[in-house]
Amino acid sequence: MRKLEQTYPAPPERLWELWTTPAGIESWWAPDGFAVEVEQLDLQVGGELVYTMKARGADQIAFMKSIDMPLATTSRKTFTRTEAPSVLGYTSLVDFVPGVEPYDFATLVELQARESGTLVVMTVDPLHDDEWTERLVAGRSNELENLAGVVAAHG
C-alpha cells in the first residue's frame, strides 16, 4: 500500500464535488499532458466511472509511443465505498499494459476536515511491478497537484 497526503484550503464538500462529478473530474484528474473525458458516472457502491484519457502533450505522446501504448485509453473504476463527503473507495481495472493480464487494484480516498481546509489521504494498492507502481504514484501525485491548482483558482 502506498499513501499520498495533501491538504487543500477548501471544505470536504468542495473536494467531494471535484472528485465525484464529471466536470470536477475532467478539471484535474489527468496528469500533465493528458486530458480526461468522463463517459459514465454512477456514484453508488457497485457503480462505475468510465473515462477516456488521451495523451495531448508532445512529451507524453512520445512516451506512450515509446512503450507501445495507445494515445487514448478507456478506464473503468468500480465504486466500493461512497460516503459523502468523506470516503471514496474504488477498484481500477488495469487492462492496458502490453503483455500483462487484466487485473484490479484498490484506491481509498479519505477527506478529513481540518482547521486549514481538508486533508486528503489517498491509499493505493501496488501494481504488478515496482516500475508500474512508481508510475502510478507519480501520476497520482501530479493529479493531486492539479487538484490543488483547481482549488486555488476556483475555490
Side-chain angles (χ1 to χ4, degrees), residues 42-49 77-83 87-92 104-109:
D42 180 9
L43 190 65
Q44 61 181 331
V45 172
E48 285 190 321
L49 166 61
K77 301 187 181 314
T78 302
F79 294 107
T80 57
R81 291 179 68 182
T82 57
E83 301 163 25
V87 180
L88 186 65
Y90 52 87
T91 59
S92 302
D104 287 315
F105 74 95
T107 300
L108 180 66
V109 179

PDB file of all heavy atoms in Angstrom, residues 42-49 77-83 87-92 104-109:
ATOM      1  N   ASP A  42     -21.663   6.586 -12.223  1.00  0.00           N
ATOM      2  CA  ASP A  42     -22.754   6.075 -11.396  1.00  0.00           C
ATOM      3  C   ASP A  42     -22.195   5.955  -9.984  1.00  0.00           C
ATOM      4  O   ASP A  42     -21.576   4.951  -9.632  1.00  0.00           O
ATOM      5  CB  ASP A  42     -23.227   4.717 -11.921  1.00  0.00           C
ATOM      6  CG  ASP A  42     -24.358   4.132 -11.093  1.00  0.00           C
ATOM      7  OD1 ASP A  42     -24.897   4.831 -10.210  1.00  0.00           O
ATOM      8  OD2 ASP A  42     -24.697   2.960 -11.330  1.00  0.00           O
ATOM      9  N   LEU A  43     -22.377   7.019  -9.199  1.00  0.00           N
ATOM     10  CA  LEU A  43     -21.738   7.153  -7.899  1.00  0.00           C
ATOM     11  C   LEU A  43     -22.519   6.435  -6.808  1.00  0.00           C
ATOM     12  O   LEU A  43     -23.162   7.043  -5.973  1.00  0.00           O
ATOM     13  CB  LEU A  43     -21.586   8.640  -7.552  1.00  0.00           C
ATOM     14  CG  LEU A  43     -20.734   8.943  -6.335  1.00  0.00           C
ATOM     15  CD1 LEU A  43     -19.293   8.528  -6.572  1.00  0.00           C
ATOM     16  CD2 LEU A  43     -20.824  10.412  -5.984  1.00  0.00           C
ATOM     17  N   GLN A  44     -22.462   5.117  -6.861  1.00  0.00           N
ATOM     18  CA  GLN A  44     -23.017   4.287  -5.801  1.00  0.00           C
ATOM     19  C   GLN A  44     -22.144   3.043  -5.721  1.00  0.00           C
ATOM     20  O   GLN A  44     -21.422   2.726  -6.664  1.00  0.00           O
ATOM     21  CB  GLN A  44     -24.471   3.921  -6.085  1.00  0.00           C
ATOM     22  CG  GLN A  44     -24.671   3.118  -7.358  1.00  0.00           C
ATOM     23  CD  GLN A  44     -26.134   2.804  -7.594  1.00  0.00           C
ATOM     24  OE1 GLN A  44     -26.907   2.693  -6.661  1.00  0.00           O
ATOM     25  NE2 GLN A  44     -26.505   2.661  -8.850  1.00  0.00           N
ATOM     26  N   VAL A  45     -22.188   2.363  -4.593  1.00  0.00           N
ATOM     27  CA  VAL A  45     -21.400   1.142  -4.456  1.00  0.00           C
ATOM     28  C   VAL A  45     -21.816   0.173  -5.568  1.00  0.00           C
ATOM     29  O   VAL A  45     -23.009  -0.071  -5.778  1.00  0.00           O
ATOM     30  CB  VAL A  45     -21.590   0.520  -3.060  1.00  0.00           C
ATOM     31  CG1 VAL A  45     -20.923  -0.840  -2.986  1.00  0.00           C
ATOM     32  CG2 VAL A  45     -21.028   1.452  -1.993  1.00  0.00           C
ATOM     33  N   GLY A  46     -20.841  -0.311  -6.313  1.00  0.00           N
ATOM     34  CA  GLY A  46     -21.093  -1.177  -7.461  1.00  0.00           C
ATOM     35  C   GLY A  46     -21.231  -0.409  -8.767  1.00  0.00           C
ATOM     36  O   GLY A  46     -21.177  -0.997  -9.835  1.00  0.00           O
ATOM     37  N   GLY A  47     -21.404   0.910  -8.680  1.00  0.00           N
ATOM     38  CA  GLY A  47     -21.488   1.753  -9.877  1.00  0.00           C
ATOM     39  C   GLY A  47     -20.104   1.984 -10.459  1.00  0.00           C
ATOM     40  O   GLY A  47     -19.086   1.707  -9.827  1.00  0.00           O
ATOM     41  N   GLU A  48     -20.082   2.516 -11.683  1.00  0.00           N
ATOM     42  CA  GLU A  48     -18.806   2.691 -12.378  1.00  0.00           C
ATOM     43  C   GLU A  48     -18.552   4.135 -12.787  1.00  0.00           C
ATOM     44  O   GLU A  48     -19.478   4.890 -13.052  1.00  0.00           O
ATOM     45  CB  GLU A  48     -18.777   1.856 -13.659  1.00  0.00           C
ATOM     46  CG  GLU A  48     -18.582   0.380 -13.457  1.00  0.00           C
ATOM     47  CD  GLU A  48     -18.332  -0.329 -14.771  1.00  0.00           C
ATOM     48  OE1 GLU A  48     -18.963   0.005 -15.788  1.00  0.00           O
ATOM     49  OE2 GLU A  48     -17.483  -1.236 -14.771  1.00  0.00           O
ATOM     50  N   LEU A  49     -17.273   4.443 -12.844  1.00  0.00           N
ATOM     51  CA  LEU A  49     -16.768   5.627 -13.518  1.00  0.00           C
ATOM     52  C   LEU A  49     -16.032   5.103 -14.738  1.00  0.00           C
ATOM     53  O   LEU A  49     -15.119   4.276 -14.611  1.00  0.00           O
ATOM     54  CB  LEU A  49     -15.810   6.404 -12.620  1.00  0.00           C
ATOM     55  CG  LEU A  49     -14.950   7.471 -13.307  1.00  0.00           C
ATOM     56  CD1 LEU A  49     -15.810   8.554 -13.941  1.00  0.00           C
ATOM     57  CD2 LEU A  49     -13.958   8.063 -12.318  1.00  0.00           C
ATOM     58  N   LYS A  77     -13.503   2.300 -13.314  1.00  0.00           N
ATOM     59  CA  LYS A  77     -13.373   2.207 -11.867  1.00  0.00           C
ATOM     60  C   LYS A  77     -14.728   1.786 -11.331  1.00  0.00           C
ATOM     61  O   LYS A  77     -15.756   2.280 -11.783  1.00  0.00           O
ATOM     62  CB  LYS A  77     -12.947   3.542 -11.272  1.00  0.00           C
ATOM     63  CG  LYS A  77     -11.607   3.998 -11.849  1.00  0.00           C
ATOM     64  CD  LYS A  77     -11.069   5.201 -11.181  1.00  0.00           C
ATOM     65  CE  LYS A  77      -9.757   5.657 -11.771  1.00  0.00           C
ATOM     66  NZ  LYS A  77      -8.757   4.673 -12.018  1.00  0.00           N
ATOM     67  N   THR A  78     -14.735   0.871 -10.388  1.00  0.00           N
ATOM     68  CA  THR A  78     -15.965   0.415  -9.754  1.00  0.00           C
ATOM     69  C   THR A  78     -15.935   0.873  -8.301  1.00  0.00           C
ATOM     70  O   THR A  78     -14.972   0.592  -7.574  1.00  0.00           O
ATOM     71  CB  THR A  78     -16.086  -1.119  -9.827  1.00  0.00           C
ATOM     72  OG1 THR A  78     -16.049  -1.513 -11.205  1.00  0.00           O
ATOM     73  CG2 THR A  78     -17.389  -1.594  -9.201  1.00  0.00           C
ATOM     74  N   PHE A  79     -16.976   1.591  -7.899  1.00  0.00           N
ATOM     75  CA  PHE A  79     -17.010   2.154  -6.553  1.00  0.00           C
ATOM     76  C   PHE A  79     -17.272   1.064  -5.511  1.00  0.00           C
ATOM     77  O   PHE A  79     -18.177   0.245  -5.666  1.00  0.00           O
ATOM     78  CB  PHE A  79     -18.066   3.257  -6.462  1.00  0.00           C
ATOM     79  CG  PHE A  79     -17.722   4.444  -7.312  1.00  0.00           C
ATOM     80  CD1 PHE A  79     -18.409   4.694  -8.478  1.00  0.00           C
ATOM     81  CD2 PHE A  79     -16.684   5.287  -6.952  1.00  0.00           C
ATOM     82  CE1 PHE A  79     -18.080   5.778  -9.278  1.00  0.00           C
ATOM     83  CE2 PHE A  79     -16.333   6.371  -7.750  1.00  0.00           C
ATOM     84  CZ  PHE A  79     -17.038   6.622  -8.918  1.00  0.00           C
ATOM     85  N   THR A  80     -16.459   1.086  -4.460  1.00  0.00           N
ATOM     86  CA  THR A  80     -16.592   0.149  -3.347  1.00  0.00           C
ATOM     87  C   THR A  80     -17.084   0.853  -2.082  1.00  0.00           C
ATOM     88  O   THR A  80     -17.631   0.208  -1.195  1.00  0.00           O
ATOM     89  CB  THR A  80     -15.256  -0.549  -3.055  1.00  0.00           C
ATOM     90  OG1 THR A  80     -14.248   0.453  -2.791  1.00  0.00           O
ATOM     91  CG2 THR A  80     -14.828  -1.407  -4.243  1.00  0.00           C
ATOM     92  N   ARG A  81     -16.874   2.170  -2.015  1.00  0.00           N
ATOM     93  CA  ARG A  81     -17.370   2.987  -0.899  1.00  0.00           C
ATOM     94  C   ARG A  81     -17.705   4.371  -1.421  1.00  0.00           C
ATOM     95  O   ARG A  81     -16.911   4.954  -2.162  1.00  0.00           O
ATOM     96  CB  ARG A  81     -16.323   3.122   0.213  1.00  0.00           C
ATOM     97  CG  ARG A  81     -16.065   1.822   0.945  1.00  0.00           C
ATOM     98  CD  ARG A  81     -15.022   1.962   2.020  1.00  0.00           C
ATOM     99  NE  ARG A  81     -15.479   2.785   3.141  1.00  0.00           N
ATOM    100  CZ  ARG A  81     -14.705   3.071   4.194  1.00  0.00           C
ATOM    101  NH1 ARG A  81     -13.471   2.606   4.272  1.00  0.00           N
ATOM    102  NH2 ARG A  81     -15.173   3.820   5.180  1.00  0.00           N
ATOM    103  N   THR A  82     -18.843   4.906  -1.023  1.00  0.00           N
ATOM    104  CA  THR A  82     -19.227   6.277  -1.367  1.00  0.00           C
ATOM    105  C   THR A  82     -19.933   6.878  -0.163  1.00  0.00           C
ATOM    106  O   THR A  82     -21.140   6.772  -0.025  1.00  0.00           O
ATOM    107  CB  THR A  82     -20.134   6.339  -2.614  1.00  0.00           C
ATOM    108  OG1 THR A  82     -21.291   5.545  -2.378  1.00  0.00           O
ATOM    109  CG2 THR A  82     -19.428   5.833  -3.859  1.00  0.00           C
ATOM    110  N   GLU A  83     -19.160   7.482   0.705  1.00  0.00           N
ATOM    111  CA  GLU A  83     -19.673   8.068   1.940  1.00  0.00           C
ATOM    112  C   GLU A  83     -19.423   9.576   1.908  1.00  0.00           C
ATOM    113  O   GLU A  83     -18.419  10.068   2.433  1.00  0.00           O
ATOM    114  CB  GLU A  83     -19.000   7.411   3.142  1.00  0.00           C
ATOM    115  CG  GLU A  83     -19.219   5.903   3.192  1.00  0.00           C
ATOM    116  CD  GLU A  83     -18.253   5.185   4.124  1.00  0.00           C
ATOM    117  OE1 GLU A  83     -17.735   5.807   5.077  1.00  0.00           O
ATOM    118  OE2 GLU A  83     -18.018   3.985   3.891  1.00  0.00           O
ATOM    119  N   VAL A  87     -15.438   9.694   2.339  1.00  0.00           N
ATOM    120  CA  VAL A  87     -14.734   8.476   1.919  1.00  0.00           C
ATOM    121  C   VAL A  87     -15.193   8.051   0.529  1.00  0.00           C
ATOM    122  O   VAL A  87     -16.401   7.942   0.271  1.00  0.00           O
ATOM    123  CB  VAL A  87     -14.966   7.308   2.904  1.00  0.00           C
ATOM    124  CG1 VAL A  87     -14.221   6.057   2.442  1.00  0.00           C
ATOM    125  CG2 VAL A  87     -14.540   7.686   4.317  1.00  0.00           C
ATOM    126  N   LEU A  88     -14.224   7.819  -0.335  1.00  0.00           N
ATOM    127  CA  LEU A  88     -14.487   7.309  -1.674  1.00  0.00           C
ATOM    128  C   LEU A  88     -13.512   6.165  -1.922  1.00  0.00           C
ATOM    129  O   LEU A  88     -12.295   6.341  -1.826  1.00  0.00           O
ATOM    130  CB  LEU A  88     -14.287   8.409  -2.718  1.00  0.00           C
ATOM    131  CG  LEU A  88     -14.657   8.072  -4.146  1.00  0.00           C
ATOM    132  CD1 LEU A  88     -16.162   7.819  -4.272  1.00  0.00           C
ATOM    133  CD2 LEU A  88     -14.249   9.197  -5.082  1.00  0.00           C
ATOM    134  N   GLY A  89     -14.053   4.983  -2.186  1.00  0.00           N
ATOM    135  CA  GLY A  89     -13.220   3.834  -2.488  1.00  0.00           C
ATOM    136  C   GLY A  89     -13.600   3.269  -3.842  1.00  0.00           C
ATOM    137  O   GLY A  89     -14.775   3.300  -4.219  1.00  0.00           O
ATOM    138  N   TYR A  90     -12.610   2.792  -4.566  1.00  0.00           N
ATOM    139  CA  TYR A  90     -12.896   2.193  -5.874  1.00  0.00           C
ATOM    140  C   TYR A  90     -11.780   1.249  -6.281  1.00  0.00           C
ATOM    141  O   TYR A  90     -10.662   1.328  -5.794  1.00  0.00           O
ATOM    142  CB  TYR A  90     -13.097   3.269  -6.951  1.00  0.00           C
ATOM    143  CG  TYR A  90     -11.998   4.293  -7.056  1.00  0.00           C
ATOM    144  CD1 TYR A  90     -10.876   4.067  -7.840  1.00  0.00           C
ATOM    145  CD2 TYR A  90     -12.097   5.511  -6.386  1.00  0.00           C
ATOM    146  CE1 TYR A  90      -9.879   5.017  -7.955  1.00  0.00           C
ATOM    147  CE2 TYR A  90     -11.098   6.465  -6.491  1.00  0.00           C
ATOM    148  CZ  TYR A  90      -9.995   6.220  -7.268  1.00  0.00           C
ATOM    149  OH  TYR A  90      -8.994   7.159  -7.369  1.00  0.00           O
ATOM    150  N   THR A  91     -12.147   0.322  -7.150  1.00  0.00           N
ATOM    151  CA  THR A  91     -11.150  -0.518  -7.798  1.00  0.00           C
ATOM    152  C   THR A  91     -10.993  -0.018  -9.225  1.00  0.00           C
ATOM    153  O   THR A  91     -11.935   0.495  -9.829  1.00  0.00           O
ATOM    154  CB  THR A  91     -11.555  -2.006  -7.813  1.00  0.00           C
ATOM    155  OG1 THR A  91     -12.795  -2.153  -8.494  1.00  0.00           O
ATOM    156  CG2 THR A  91     -11.656  -2.559  -6.403  1.00  0.00           C
ATOM    157  N   SER A  92      -9.785  -0.155  -9.737  1.00  0.00           N
ATOM    158  CA  SER A  92      -9.480   0.264 -11.106  1.00  0.00           C
ATOM    159  C   SER A  92      -9.049  -0.959 -11.898  1.00  0.00           C
ATOM    160  O   SER A  92      -8.241  -1.763 -11.409  1.00  0.00           O
ATOM    161  CB  SER A  92      -8.331   1.279 -11.117  1.00  0.00           C
ATOM    162  OG  SER A  92      -8.648   2.410 -10.346  1.00  0.00           O
ATOM    163  N   ASP A 104      -7.470  -5.897 -11.201  1.00  0.00           N
ATOM    164  CA  ASP A 104      -7.981  -4.740 -10.461  1.00  0.00           C
ATOM    165  C   ASP A 104      -7.031  -4.385  -9.336  1.00  0.00           C
ATOM    166  O   ASP A 104      -6.377  -5.255  -8.766  1.00  0.00           O
ATOM    167  CB  ASP A 104      -9.347  -5.058  -9.824  1.00  0.00           C
ATOM    168  CG  ASP A 104     -10.470  -5.129 -10.837  1.00  0.00           C
ATOM    169  OD1 ASP A 104     -10.547  -4.255 -11.710  1.00  0.00           O
ATOM    170  OD2 ASP A 104     -11.288  -6.065 -10.734  1.00  0.00           O
ATOM    171  N   PHE A 105      -6.983  -3.092  -9.000  1.00  0.00           N
ATOM    172  CA  PHE A 105      -6.298  -2.660  -7.782  1.00  0.00           C
ATOM    173  C   PHE A 105      -7.177  -1.625  -7.098  1.00  0.00           C
ATOM    174  O   PHE A 105      -7.999  -0.972  -7.739  1.00  0.00           O
ATOM    175  CB  PHE A 105      -4.885  -2.117  -8.061  1.00  0.00           C
ATOM    176  CG  PHE A 105      -4.860  -0.753  -8.687  1.00  0.00           C
ATOM    177  CD1 PHE A 105      -4.717   0.386  -7.898  1.00  0.00           C
ATOM    178  CD2 PHE A 105      -4.973  -0.598 -10.053  1.00  0.00           C
ATOM    179  CE1 PHE A 105      -4.692   1.643  -8.473  1.00  0.00           C
ATOM    180  CE2 PHE A 105      -4.948   0.648 -10.643  1.00  0.00           C
ATOM    181  CZ  PHE A 105      -4.805   1.775  -9.843  1.00  0.00           C
ATOM    182  N   ALA A 106      -7.015  -1.502  -5.790  1.00  0.00           N
ATOM    183  CA  ALA A 106      -7.904  -0.650  -4.994  1.00  0.00           C
ATOM    184  C   ALA A 106      -7.268   0.695  -4.669  1.00  0.00           C
ATOM    185  O   ALA A 106      -6.053   0.810  -4.503  1.00  0.00           O
ATOM    186  CB  ALA A 106      -8.268  -1.357  -3.695  1.00  0.00           C
ATOM    187  N   THR A 107      -8.152   1.710  -4.565  1.00  0.00           N
ATOM    188  CA  THR A 107      -7.790   3.046  -4.101  1.00  0.00           C
ATOM    189  C   THR A 107      -8.814   3.456  -3.054  1.00  0.00           C
ATOM    190  O   THR A 107     -10.016   3.238  -3.238  1.00  0.00           O
ATOM    191  CB  THR A 107      -7.811   4.067  -5.260  1.00  0.00           C
ATOM    192  OG1 THR A 107      -6.869   3.661  -6.257  1.00  0.00           O
ATOM    193  CG2 THR A 107      -7.468   5.474  -4.781  1.00  0.00           C
ATOM    194  N   LEU A 108      -8.338   4.065  -1.976  1.00  0.00           N
ATOM    195  CA  LEU A 108      -9.213   4.616  -0.952  1.00  0.00           C
ATOM    196  C   LEU A 108      -8.836   6.076  -0.767  1.00  0.00           C
ATOM    197  O   LEU A 108      -7.662   6.397  -0.561  1.00  0.00           O
ATOM    198  CB  LEU A 108      -9.055   3.861   0.373  1.00  0.00           C
ATOM    199  CG  LEU A 108      -9.932   4.352   1.521  1.00  0.00           C
ATOM    200  CD1 LEU A 108     -11.406   4.093   1.224  1.00  0.00           C
ATOM    201  CD2 LEU A 108      -9.509   3.697   2.827  1.00  0.00           C
ATOM    202  N   VAL A 109      -9.821   6.956  -0.853  1.00  0.00           N
ATOM    203  CA  VAL A 109      -9.615   8.387  -0.680  1.00  0.00           C
ATOM    204  C   VAL A 109     -10.396   8.818   0.551  1.00  0.00           C
ATOM    205  O   VAL A 109     -11.603   8.588   0.636  1.00  0.00           O
ATOM    206  CB  VAL A 109     -10.106   9.179  -1.913  1.00  0.00           C
ATOM    207  CG1 VAL A 109      -9.903  10.673  -1.705  1.00  0.00           C
ATOM    208  CG2 VAL A 109      -9.399   8.708  -3.175  1.00  0.00           C
TER     209      VAL A 109
END
